[in-house]
Amino acid sequence: MATSTTSQPRAAEVERLTLADRVDLLRYMLRMRGIEQRAMTLYRQGQVPGSFYDGLGQEAVSAGAAFAMAAEDRLCILHRDLAAHLIRGVEPERIFAQYMGRCSGLTEGRDGNVHFGDRRLGCVGMVSMLPDMMLVAVGMAMAFRIRGERRCALTWLGDGSTSRGDCHEAMNWAGVQRLPVIFVLENNQFAYSTPTSKQYAVNPVERAAGYGFPGVSVDGNDVEAMFAATLEARERAIDGGGPTLIAAETMRMHGHAAHDDMAYVPSELVDHWRGRDPIELEEGRLVAAGVDVEGLRAEVGVELEEALRLAREHPFPAASSAREGVFCEGEAQALGDGLARWSGYA
Amino acid sequence: MATSTTSQPRAAEVERLTLADRVDLLRYMLRMRGIEQRAMTLYRQGQVPGSFYDGLGQEAVSAGAAFAMAAEDRLCILHRDLAAHLIRGVEPERIFAQYMGRCSGLTEGRDGNVHFGDRRLGCVGMVSMLPDMMLVAVGMAMAFRIRGERRCALTWLGDGSTSRGDCHEAMNWAGVQRLPVIFVLENNQFAYSTPTSKQYAVNPVERAAGYGFPGVSVDGNDVEAMFAATLEARERAIDGGGPTLIAAETMRMHGHAAHDDMAYVPSELVDHWRGRDPIELEEGRLVAAGVDVEGLRAEVGVELEEALRLAREHPFPAASSAREGVFCEGEAQALGDGLARWSGYA
Amino acid sequence: MPEMTYLQAISDALREEMRCDERVFVMGEDIGTYGGAFKVTEGLQAEFGADRVMDTPMAEAAIIGAAIGAAVVGMRPVCEMQFSDFVACCFDQLVNVAGKMHYRQGLAVPIVIRLPSGGGFSGGPFHSQNPEAWLMHAPGLKVVAPSTAADAKGLLIAAIRDPNPVCFLEHKNLYRRIRGEVPAGTYQTPMTARVAREGDDMVVITYGGMVWTALEATEDLEGASIRVLDLRSLVPLDEAAILEAVGDCGKVVVVDEANATCAAGAQVSALIAEQGFEFLDGPIRRVATPDVPIAFSPPLEKALLPQVEDIRETCRELLAY
Amino acid sequence: MPEMTYLQAISDALREEMRCDERVFVMGEDIGTYGGAFKVTEGLQAEFGADRVMDTPMAEAAIIGAAIGAAVVGMRPVCEMQFSDFVACCFDQLVNVAGKMHYRQGLAVPIVIRLPSGGGFSGGPFHSQNPEAWLMHAPGLKVVAPSTAADAKGLLIAAIRDPNPVCFLEHKNLYRRIRGEVPAGTYQTPMTARVAREGDDMVVITYGGMVWTALEATEDLEGASIRVLDLRSLVPLDEAAILEAVGDCGKVVVVDEANATCAAGAQVSALIAEQGFEFLDGPIRRVATPDVPIAFSPPLEKALLPQVEDIRETCRELLAY
Ligand SMILES: Cc1ncc(C[n+]2csc(CCOP(=O)(O)OP(=O)(O)O)c2C)c(N)n1
Ligand SMILES: Cc1ncc(C[n+]2csc(CCOP(=O)(O)OP(=O)(O)O)c2C)c(N)n1
Ligand SMILES: [Mg+2]
Ligand SMILES: [Mg+2]
C-alpha cells in the first residue's frame, strides 16, 4: 500500500527545468501577485463588485503545478491559483476585466472574481461549492482512460474542502478506476476562519493510501518543488499509474477575502510564513544564477499597468444580454488546448 | 496513528458473557432468521407489498453489536440488522405487521420493510439513502459529548455505502470531535450486484486511521467476536476515547432483495460462506456447552408462528389517516431507552 | 412498426444511440453486469463492454460530477439514478455545476440523467417521488417526461443529442404496463406538448404517468368532449400549446402526481392565470398528491396518489360549473 | 422598544433563546471565533462557549445530519448555512431524513436551518439564490421568510420552539438596510401573513426582501389604494389571508425574487386561480426573476432581479385592465 512520502525538489525533475523555465516560473508568480495587488486596490476603490479573493503567499502552488501540465491536459483552477490561468494563456487584461464585471472578462460579467476558466484553454471554471470540481476532474480523467489517451486532469482543493463528501467520492472513484488525475491539496492552514485542527484529525495526505494511490507532501512555497512533484505525478498518471494527491504546505497571507482582517490568525504564524515568501525564495535562486530579477519585476509592472489601463476602458455588458445563453443552442464544443509553457514540451 | 487491527474474540470481553447471554445471542439470531424466512414466504404469497430485504447469513453482525449496547445508548439500525431491533425490544408480531403494511407495524404503514426503528426503544429508523444515518448517529454522539453523558451511538453501514460522501463527512466529523460513536461496517461482499472491487481500491477499515481512530476487522459471522469488538469500542467511546470503525466480514446469502436471484455471485463464494453459517457456529459452541439447542429452535418457532398468526389479523391503516402526522403538532419527544440484554448491564 | 413496452423503448433508444455515436456511454449503479434495477440496460454491457456500460461506485454526486467532466471533454454520458429519489444526493452537482455552466462560461454540458420516478406499487417514501419540480426550478436544466413508448424512445434520443443537461423522467409504473408501436431506428421527439385526446369542453393538462390516469378518467364523462394535453416536456414548457388548449376549451384541470406545492402543475396553472385568464370559463382546478411523503401501505398510498376517481370527480365538478 | 437592524434582531433572537433554553445551540462554518460570514453570531461564543456556538468542518450534509441526530436526543440545534445556496449540498439530509421523519415514525426533528439568501450586491450565481421553492416542495419542512426586524426575531424564536424542521430564510440585503423597533425579551411571531400596507384596489402578494421593493413600487401609483401582503411564512402558507386579500382587492400581482418557474409565487397564483377565481377582476400577474442564474455584473444582475420599476409597471398595467 502506498503511503505518503515527502518529496524534496527531486534532482530528476528539477534538472529538467532550464534557466529560462525558472525565469518563466518567477514571471508567472510575479504576474499573479501584481494582478492581485492591483485588483485589491481596485476593490478598495469600488471598482470590483462583490467580494475579492486572492492567493498572496500561495503563488508557487498554482505556478509550479500548472507549469508541469501539457497543452492537452485539462484543469479546474481554484480561487487561490491565478498563476495557473496565466500559464494556460489567459491575458491579464481579461482578468482585470473579469474582476470588474466587464463584458470582456472571461465570464462576460455572468460570474464574479475567480469563478472563471477559459474553455478554449482547457479549463473549466470553478463553482463556488467546494470542492465540487474534483468530481469534474475525475470525469475528464475517466474519459481519457476510456479513450486510451495519454492525458491527465488536474485540480486544486483547499484544506477545508477535504471535509466535504465530494472530496471523498472523487478520491475513491479515482482510486477504484486508477484514473489519470492529480489532486493538489493546497493546505494554507485555514478555511475562511477555521483552522485545520477543526477540519480534520489527521493530515489528509495520509488518506491517499486508503484510496490506493500515493499522497505526497511538498513545500508549497517552493515553486520548483511543486513543479517536480506535479511532473512526477503527471508522468505516473499518463503511464496508467493512477492518481496522486499532492499536499502543498503553504499559508494564506491575506484574509479569506478582502473584507476579512484575519484577526483570528496568530501573528507569529504570519511572521513565520512571511519569512518563507515563495517569490523571494525563487528570486534568491535566480539572482544567484545571474538573472536580472529587478528588470523582470519592472517588466511585469509595466505590462500589468498597461493591461489594467486597457481593462478599465472596457464597457459593462448590456442589460439586454442578461437572459441569453442559459442553454446552448448550437453544437456542444469540447474544451480546447491550453498553452504548455515548460520547455520540455516544446 | 492508530491503524487497523484484527481482533479475535478477546478473552477479556467474551468471558464476560454468561452461558445465558450466549443462549440469548443464539436466540436473537434464530428469531431474526425465523422472522425473515417467514416474511420471505409471506412476500411470495403476496402478503408483503413492495420489495423485501433480508440479512440471511449476517445475523451475527447485528446480534453481536446490539447486544453490547446499553439501554441509554442510541442506534440507527440498517436493513440487514433485524436482530438489533429484537434485542432493543421490538416484538416479532409488530415486525410482521410492519412488513405487511398493517397499522400495528412500527411505521403504521407509512414506510416499508426494514425502514423502521422504535423511537421509544432508542432507535431512529433508517432512510433509504445510504449511509445517511451515519450523520444522524454522529449528531446523537455529539449531543452526548456536549452534555458530558457516558453514552454512545452506533450505526451500521454497508460496503457499498462507503463510497458515499456522507460516509466521509461522518467519519471525519466523528474523528475531529472524538465523538462516542461506533460505525459497524457490514462487508457482505456486494452492494446490490456490485462487488467491493468496484466500490473501493483499499479495504475501508484502513481508512479509520486517516480519520484518527481505530479500525478493527472482525469475523462478522462470529457473534461472540462481534460482541467483544463492540463492547471494547463502546467502553473506549464512553471513556472519551472517540469513535471506532468495526469492519465485520460477512456474506449476503440472499439476493439484494427478494426479486434478485444473485446470478452475478460466483457459486464457490456462496458455498464457502455457507460453510461458515453464524448460527451453526454458535450452535456448535452451545451444544458443546450442553445447551438444548433443538429445544431453543422449537421454542422460537412456536413463538414466531404465534406472532405471525396474530399479525395476519391486524387491519390495514385507514385511508383517512393518510395525510396525518406530516408535522409534529405537540411537544417534541426525544428518543426513549431500549432494553439492554447483556447480563453485564443487569 | 415493432410494438414494445415503454421500458423496451428506453433500452432501444440507448442501444441505437450507442451504436451510432461512440461518444455515448451509460453509467450508474448496477447497470452493467446486472442490467439495472429495472433491467433497462440489460444486454448493453454484453454488446458495448464495461467502459461504455459502466457499473459505478454507489455515489450519486460522483456519477453526475464525473458525467459533467466526461461531457466537457467530448463524451455523451447518460447517467441512471437507480431511483429518481436519489437525485437529492447529487442535487448540488446537478443544479450548481451542470445547470449553470453554459450561462457562466459558454461551456455546454451534454449529459442525460435518467430518473425512474413515480409511485403506485408500495415503493414508500423513498422510491415513489416525482422530483421534476425541483429540477424545473433550477435554471439550465431541461426536463422531459414521456408517457408513451414511442415518445420515451424519441425523447431520450433527443435528450442524448441535446447539448444541454437533460433530466429524463421515466415513470416506473409505465415500464411494463404501457406498450405501443415504436418506430425502428433513430428519431427525435420534439420537446413540445402532444394532444393525447381531442376535445373542446374541457382540457386536462398533465404529463408522464398521469396521462394514462387522465385518459381513463375522462374517457366517458357524461359525453363531455374532454381534451387531454400531454406536456411531454416541462423545460422547455410548451406554453403556446397550453394556452391554445385553454382557448379552445375554457375549462382546465391540471394534474400531476408530484406533491402539490410548487409542483409543475402550479407553474402551468400560474401561467394560465396570467396569460390565459380571458379564456377561462371557471377556476383552474388542480389534482395532485398532497404535501405528504408517499406512504407504503396500499390503502395509504392509494389515498395520496391521484386516482382515476379523483380526476373524474374534479372534472365533473368543473363541467358543472 | 429598542430599535435595531434586521441582522441584530436575528442575533438577539439567538441570544435570548440560548439564555432561556440550554438545549438550544448554534452550529455552522465560521460562526464561532469569527462570528459568521455576516457576523450574525458575533459575540455568542464568548457568552456561551465553543460547544454551544460550534465551528464545524466545512460539510453541509454533516451539519444537517448532525443537527438531526442532536435534535432527536433532546437538543435544539440552529444551523447556519454560510449562504443559502449551499443548501443544495445538504439537500438529501434535509428533504429525506429531516422532512420525512415525523410522518414515517412519529419522531419529531426540532431543528432550524438559517439560510442567508437573496441577491442585489453582485454575489453572483452561487451567492444570490432564493431556494425556498425547493424546500416548499419537500413535505415535512416548514419555511419562513421575515421582512422586518421585529418579525425576524419573532419568527426565529417561533422556529426554534417549533417541534419541526424549520427553514429560516433571512435576506442578506435586509441585514443592515432594514431597521425597526424590536420588542425586548422573547416573543413568537405567528407563521401567518401580515398586511404591510392596507389597500383595496389591488394587492401585491410577496415576502422577504421583495416586501420592501413592493412597498416602494406601490407607494404612490396614481393614487391607487394598493395593499401589500407580506406572507412571512411559506409553509404553512396563510391561504385564508391570501384569499381574503383577493376578495377585497380583485386584482393581484404576485412578486418573488426567486427564479419564476415553480416558485413560491407560482403556488400562490395557482391557489388563487383555483380558490379565488370568482374574486378576480383580471389576470394574476407575476413578477419574478427569469429562469436564469443570478449574474454578477451590476447591469446584468439588475436586469434579472425584480426592480421597483418592474413592479410598478406591472401594477400600472393591471390597474388599467
Ligand atoms: C460547499 C461549500 N460550503 C461553504 C463554502 C463557503 N466558503 C467559501 S471558501 C470557504 C473556505 C474554504 O477553505 P479551503 O477549502 O481551505 O480553501 P481556501 O479558501 O483556504 O483556499 C468557505 C467555507 C463554499 N464555498 N462551499
Ligand atoms: C444513496 C443511495 N443510492 C442508491 C441506493 C439504492 N440501493 C439500495 S441498497 C443498495 C446497495 C447497498 O449496498 P451496501 O451499502 O453494501 O449494503 P448491503 O445492502 O449490501 O447491506 C443500493 C445501491 C440507496 N439506497 N442509497
Ligand atoms: Mg484553506
Ligand atoms: Mg454490501
Side-chain angles (χ1 to χ4, degrees):
Chain A
M1 193 54 278
T3 55
S4 77
T5 60
T6 300
S7 92
Q8 288 323 317
R10 298 226 338 283
E13 284 79 15
V14 169
E15 272 163 19
R16 293 164 69 179
L17 286 171
T18 63
L19 183 59
D21 289 331
R22 298 164 70 202
V23 171
D24 270 350
L25 282 171
L26 176 58
R27 184 194 318 275
Y28 289 113
M29 291 198 289
L30 288 170
R31 280 194 182 141
M32 173 174 171
R33 185 167 296 182
I35 290 170
E36 293 187 335
Q37 281 169 338
R38 286 169 176 78
M40 187 66 84
T41 309
L42 278 178
Y43 176 83
R44 308 246 182 258
Q45 296 167 344
Q47 296 292 309
V48 174
S51 47
F52 180 72
Y53 308 81
D54 70 354
L56 182 72
Q58 301 178 219
E59 294 86 353
V61 179
S62 53
F67 204 72
M69 292 289 101
E72 65 274 19
D73 295 334
R74 298 294 179 252
L75 281 64
C76 303
I77 304 173
L78 257 72
H79 54 298
R80 314 280 181 205
D81 307 321
L82 194 68
H85 292 291
L86 298 167
I87 288 172
R88 295 298 287 188
V90 177
E91 307 80 3
E93 181 179 341
R94 295 171 63 213
I95 296 173
F96 285 123
Q98 165 72 16
Y99 290 146
M100 295 189 284
R102 307 301 172 88
C103 63
S104 53
L106 286 103
T107 65
E108 298 167 15
R110 270 88 188 292
D111 206 342
N113 50 67
V114 270
H115 294 167
F116 67 84
D118 191 328
R119 67 183 188 282
R120 288 153 304 191
L121 299 174
C123 301
V124 183
M126 66 181 282
V127 298
S128 174
M129 289 67 193
L130 299 171
D132 290 16
M133 304 314 291
M134 288 178 78
L135 287 168
V136 175
V138 162
M140 298 194 288
M142 184 178 76
F144 300 156
R145 201 207 92 243
I146 291 174
R147 300 190 299 223
E149 299 166 344
R150 288 176 57 81
R151 305 161 65 181
C152 85
L154 180 146
T155 189
W156 289 260
L157 66 141
D159 43 283
S161 303
T162 61
S163 297
R164 273 287 315 291
D166 287 23
C167 175
H168 167 71
E169 293 194 10
M171 302 250 286
N172 183 59
W173 186 301
V176 172
Q177 300 192 351
R178 286 185 76 71
L179 299 178
V181 60
I182 302 171
F183 303 117
V184 180
L185 166 52
E186 203 155 5
N187 181 355
N188 62 4
Q189 314 307 321
F190 288 88
Y192 206 147
S193 72
T194 308
T196 56
S197 60
K198 285 183 179 156
Q199 213 65 249
Y200 44 72
V202 177
N203 187 326
V205 72
E206 301 291 336
R207 294 177 185 164
Y211 295 112
F213 53 85
V216 184
S217 292
V218 183
D219 176 353
N221 285 21
D222 179 342
V223 72
E224 295 185 16
M226 281 304 306
F227 168 81
T230 311
L231 187 63
E232 184 185 2
R234 179 180 189 274
E235 289 177 348
R236 173 165 46 238
I238 64 176
D239 289 341
T244 302
L245 172 65
I246 297 174
E249 284 294 316
T250 182
M251 174 68 189
R252 195 193 72 205
M253 298 298 283
H254 267 167
H256 169 64
H259 66 272
D260 172 16
D261 64 8
M262 60 185 218
Y264 49 82
V265 177
S267 55
E268 317 74 61
L269 191 61
V270 180
D271 298 340
H272 166 75
W273 285 92
R274 191 172 290 113
R276 307 196 63 264
D277 184 78
I279 289 181
E280 286 172 17
L281 177 66
E282 194 60 13
E283 282 181 341
R285 289 176 178 154
L286 293 187
V287 166
V291 174
D292 171 15
V293 164
E294 278 316 309
L296 183 61
R297 279 180 173 268
E299 208 178 288
V300 169
V302 171
E303 168 200 20
L304 296 185
E305 283 307 322
E306 176 62 4
L308 177 53
R309 192 183 63 71
L310 293 168
R312 282 178 184 276
E313 290 165 9
H314 294 163
F316 281 95
S320 59
S321 69
R323 297 171 183 225
E324 294 163 11
V326 175
F327 291 106
C328 172
E329 307 296 345
E331 264 295 299
Q333 301 291 342
L335 296 167
D337 287 346
L339 300 182
R341 306 291 188 165
W342 176 45
S343 61
Y345 292 128
Chain B
M1 193 56 277
T3 54
S4 76
T5 60
T6 300
S7 90
Q8 288 320 317
R10 298 221 343 283
E13 283 79 15
V14 170
E15 272 164 19
R16 294 165 67 180
L17 285 172
T18 64
L19 183 59
D21 289 330
R22 297 164 72 203
V23 171
D24 270 349
L25 282 170
L26 176 58
R27 185 194 317 274
Y28 288 113
M29 292 197 288
L30 288 170
R31 279 191 182 146
M32 172 175 172
R33 184 167 295 183
I35 290 171
E36 292 188 336
Q37 281 169 338
R38 287 168 175 79
M40 186 66 84
T41 308
L42 279 179
Y43 176 83
R44 307 248 181 259
Q45 296 167 342
Q47 295 293 308
V48 174
S51 47
F52 179 71
Y53 307 81
D54 72 353
L56 183 71
Q58 303 178 217
E59 294 85 355
V61 179
S62 52
F67 204 71
M69 292 290 101
E72 66 274 19
D73 295 335
R74 298 295 178 253
L75 281 64
C76 302
I77 304 173
L78 257 71
H79 53 297
R80 313 281 181 205
D81 306 323
L82 194 67
H85 292 292
L86 298 168
I87 288 173
R88 295 297 287 188
V90 177
E91 307 82 1
E93 181 179 342
R94 296 171 63 213
I95 295 173
F96 285 123
Q98 165 72 14
Y99 290 146
M100 293 189 285
R102 307 301 173 89
C103 62
S104 53
L106 286 101
T107 65
E108 297 168 17
R110 270 88 188 294
D111 206 341
N113 50 65
V114 269
H115 293 167
F116 68 83
D118 191 328
R119 65 183 190 281
R120 287 152 306 191
L121 299 174
C123 301
V124 183
M126 66 180 285
V127 298
S128 174
M129 289 65 191
L130 300 169
D132 290 17
M133 302 316 290
M134 288 178 77
L135 287 168
V136 176
V138 163
M140 297 194 289
M142 185 177 75
F144 301 155
R145 189 192 57 71
I146 291 174
R147 299 189 300 222
E149 300 166 344
R150 287 176 58 81
R151 305 161 64 180
C152 84
L154 180 147
T155 189
W156 288 260
L157 66 142
D159 44 282
S161 303
T162 62
S163 296
R164 273 287 316 290
D166 287 23
C167 176
H168 168 71
E169 294 195 9
M171 301 249 286
N172 183 58
W173 186 302
V176 172
Q177 300 192 350
R178 288 184 75 73
L179 299 179
V181 59
I182 302 170
F183 304 116
V184 180
L185 167 52
E186 203 154 5
N187 182 356
N188 62 2
Q189 314 307 320
F190 288 88
Y192 206 148
S193 73
T194 307
T196 56
S197 60
K198 285 185 179 153
Q199 212 67 246
Y200 43 72
V202 176
N203 187 328
V205 71
E206 300 292 336
R207 293 178 185 161
Y211 295 112
F213 54 84
V216 184
S217 291
V218 183
D219 177 352
N221 285 20
D222 179 342
V223 71
E224 297 185 15
M226 280 305 304
F227 169 81
T230 310
L231 187 63
E232 184 185 1
R234 179 180 188 274
E235 289 177 349
R236 174 167 44 242
I238 63 175
D239 290 341
T244 302
L245 173 66
I246 297 174
E249 285 294 316
T250 182
M251 174 69 189
R252 195 192 72 205
M253 297 298 285
H254 268 167
H256 169 63
H259 66 272
D260 173 13
D261 65 7
M262 62 185 215
Y264 49 83
V265 177
S267 55
E268 316 75 63
L269 191 61
V270 180
D271 298 340
H272 165 74
W273 285 93
R274 191 172 291 114
R276 309 196 60 266
D277 183 77
I279 289 181
E280 288 171 15
L281 177 65
E282 193 60 14
E283 282 181 341
R285 290 175 176 154
L286 293 187
V287 167
V291 174
D292 170 16
V293 165
E294 279 317 309
L296 184 61
R297 277 179 173 271
E299 207 179 290
V300 169
V302 171
E303 166 200 24
L304 296 185
E305 284 305 324
E306 175 63 5
L308 178 52
R309 192 184 62 72
L310 293 167
R312 282 179 184 277
E313 291 165 8
H314 295 162
F316 280 96
S320 58
S321 69
R323 297 173 184 225
E324 295 164 8
V326 175
F327 291 105
C328 172
E329 306 296 345
E331 264 295 300
Q333 301 291 343
L335 297 168
D337 287 346
L339 300 182
R341 305 291 187 165
W342 175 45
S343 60
Y345 292 129
Chain C
M1 266 197 296
E3 190 181 285
M4 54 179 82
T5 63
Y6 184 88
L7 185 148
Q8 290 165 328
I10 294 169
S11 309
D12 197 39
L14 292 172
R15 192 177 299 101
E16 294 284 356
E17 284 299 280
M18 290 181 76
R19 283 178 182 165
C20 69
D21 184 348
E22 64 182 8
R23 301 171 305 171
V24 178
F25 72 105
V26 298
M27 61 197 287
E29 296 157 7
D30 307 293
I31 68 160
T33 325
Y34 190 68
F38 298 98
K39 301 290 179 187
V40 171
T41 53
E42 190 156 44
L44 293 184
Q45 194 177 63
E47 177 172 354
F48 300 103
D51 273 350
R52 290 187 68 195
V53 184
M54 186 188 294
D55 281 317
T56 68
M58 194 180 99
E60 286 72 17
I63 289 170
I64 301 303
I68 294 165
V72 297
V73 295
M75 305 290 280
R76 292 291 181 272
V78 180
C79 310
E80 174 178 303
M81 288 286 120
Q82 200 158 76
F83 287 82
S84 68
D85 310 68
F86 299 121
V87 78
C89 303
C90 56
F91 201 63
D92 172 47
Q93 284 285 334
L94 202 51
V95 305
N96 286 318
V97 187
K100 297 172 181 171
M101 186 81 80
H102 190 267
Y103 184 76
R104 293 171 54 235
Q105 44 189 307
L107 180 59
V109 182
I111 64 174
V112 175
I113 302 93
R114 289 184 38 238
L115 298 161
S117 61
F121 42 86
S122 292
F126 306 105
H127 290 70
S128 308
Q129 288 175 93
N130 297 278
E132 51 271 18
W134 285 335
L135 306 167
M136 293 169 71
H137 192 58
L141 302 179
K142 291 189 176 181
V143 183
V144 299
S147 67
T148 68
D151 286 351
K153 179 175 175 179
L155 275 173
L156 183 50
I157 292 173
I160 292 170
R161 296 184 183 185
D162 196 287
N164 298 287
V166 182
C167 301
F168 184 87
L169 292 144
E170 43 191 69
H171 201 292
K172 300 189 292 288
N173 225 1
L174 303 184
Y175 274 152
R176 296 184 163 76
R177 192 160 60 85
I178 297 304
R179 310 178 56 82
E181 295 206 324
V182 174
T186 65
Y187 62 94
Q188 298 188 52
T189 299
M191 297 187 185
T192 55
R194 167 188 80 96
V195 174
R197 192 206 295 114
E198 285 296 352
D200 51 23
D201 293 339
M202 179 164 78
V203 60
V204 178
I205 303 174
T206 187
Y207 60 92
M210 281 293 131
V211 169
W212 301 99
T213 318
L215 283 169
E216 185 181 343
T218 56
E219 206 162 314
D220 168 26
L221 214 61
E222 292 119 30
S225 159
I226 301 180
R227 184 180 306 186
V228 173
L229 187 69
D230 174 359
L231 293 170
R232 293 201 297 201
S233 173
L234 299 171
V235 178
L237 184 64
D238 192 342
E239 304 192 346
I242 292 169
L243 295 172
E244 183 191 340
V246 177
D248 295 348
C249 305
K251 291 182 173 181
V252 186
V253 174
V254 183
V255 179
D256 42 4
E257 188 182 308
N259 296 112
T261 293
C262 294
Q267 177 62 25
V268 170
S269 181
L271 167 75
I272 296 167
E274 179 158 31
Q275 294 180 40
F277 180 72
E278 285 157 354
F279 305 133
L280 289 171
D281 298 328
I284 305 170
R285 297 296 308 273
R286 289 185 63 195
V287 179
T289 296
D291 297 325
V292 177
I294 312 305
F296 160 79
S297 190
L300 298 178
E301 182 181 34
K302 195 160 170 307
L304 294 173
L305 299 180
Q307 304 295 316
V308 167
E309 204 28 65
D310 303 321
I311 298 174
R312 181 174 286 141
E313 192 45 43
T314 304
C315 290
R316 274 209 203 87
E317 290 169 16
L318 187 56
L319 282 169
Y321 181 86
Chain D
M1 267 197 292
E3 188 181 284
M4 56 179 83
T5 64
Y6 183 89
L7 185 147
Q8 290 165 328
I10 294 169
S11 308
D12 196 40
L14 292 173
R15 192 176 300 102
E16 295 283 357
E17 284 299 279
M18 290 181 77
R19 284 179 182 166
C20 69
D21 184 349
E22 64 183 8
R23 301 171 307 172
V24 178
F25 72 104
V26 298
M27 62 197 287
E29 296 156 6
D30 307 294
I31 68 160
T33 324
Y34 189 66
F38 298 99
K39 300 293 178 184
V40 171
T41 53
E42 190 157 44
L44 293 185
Q45 196 178 61
E47 178 172 354
F48 301 104
D51 274 349
R52 291 186 69 194
V53 185
M54 186 189 295
D55 281 316
T56 67
M58 194 181 100
E60 286 72 16
I63 290 171
I64 301 303
I68 295 165
V72 297
V73 295
M75 304 291 279
R76 292 291 180 274
V78 180
C79 310
E80 175 179 303
M81 289 286 121
Q82 200 158 77
F83 286 82
S84 69
D85 310 66
F86 299 120
V87 78
C89 303
C90 55
F91 201 64
D92 172 47
Q93 284 286 336
L94 202 50
V95 306
N96 286 319
V97 187
K100 297 171 181 173
M101 186 81 80
H102 190 267
Y103 184 75
R104 294 171 54 235
Q105 43 190 310
L107 181 59
V109 182
I111 64 174
V112 175
I113 302 94
R114 290 183 37 237
L115 298 162
S117 62
F121 43 86
S122 291
F126 306 105
H127 291 69
S128 309
Q129 288 174 94
N130 297 279
E132 50 272 15
W134 284 336
L135 306 167
M136 292 169 71
H137 192 59
L141 302 180
K142 291 189 176 181
V143 183
V144 298
S147 67
T148 69
D151 286 350
K153 178 176 174 179
L155 275 173
L156 183 49
I157 292 172
I160 291 170
R161 298 183 182 185
D162 197 287
N164 298 288
V166 183
C167 301
F168 184 86
L169 292 144
E170 43 191 68
H171 200 292
K172 300 189 290 289
N173 225 1
L174 303 184
Y175 274 153
R176 296 184 162 76
R177 193 160 59 86
I178 297 305
R179 310 178 57 82
E181 294 206 326
V182 174
T186 66
Y187 62 95
Q188 298 187 53
T189 298
M191 295 185 186
T192 56
R194 164 188 83 95
V195 174
R197 191 205 297 113
E198 285 296 351
D200 52 23
D201 293 340
M202 179 165 81
V203 60
V204 178
I205 303 175
T206 187
Y207 61 92
M210 280 293 131
V211 169
W212 301 100
T213 318
L215 283 169
E216 185 183 341
T218 56
E219 204 161 319
D220 168 25
L221 213 61
E222 292 120 28
S225 157
I226 302 180
R227 183 180 305 186
V228 174
L229 187 68
D230 175 359
L231 293 171
R232 294 199 296 201
S233 173
L234 299 171
V235 178
L237 185 63
D238 192 343
E239 304 193 345
I242 292 169
L243 295 172
E244 183 191 339
V246 177
D248 295 346
C249 305
K251 292 183 174 180
V252 187
V253 174
V254 183
V255 180
D256 42 3
E257 187 182 308
N259 297 111
T261 293
C262 294
Q267 177 62 24
V268 169
S269 180
L271 167 75
I272 297 167
E274 180 158 31
Q275 295 180 40
F277 180 73
E278 285 159 352
F279 304 133
L280 288 172
D281 298 329
I284 305 171
R285 297 296 307 275
R286 289 185 63 196
V287 179
T289 296
D291 296 326
V292 178
I294 312 306
F296 160 79
S297 190
L300 299 178
E301 182 181 34
K302 194 161 172 307
L304 295 173
L305 298 179
Q307 306 294 317
V308 166
E309 202 30 63
D310 303 322
I311 298 174
R312 181 173 285 143
E313 191 45 42
T314 305
C315 291
R316 272 208 205 87
E317 290 169 16
L318 188 57
L319 282 169
Y321 181 88

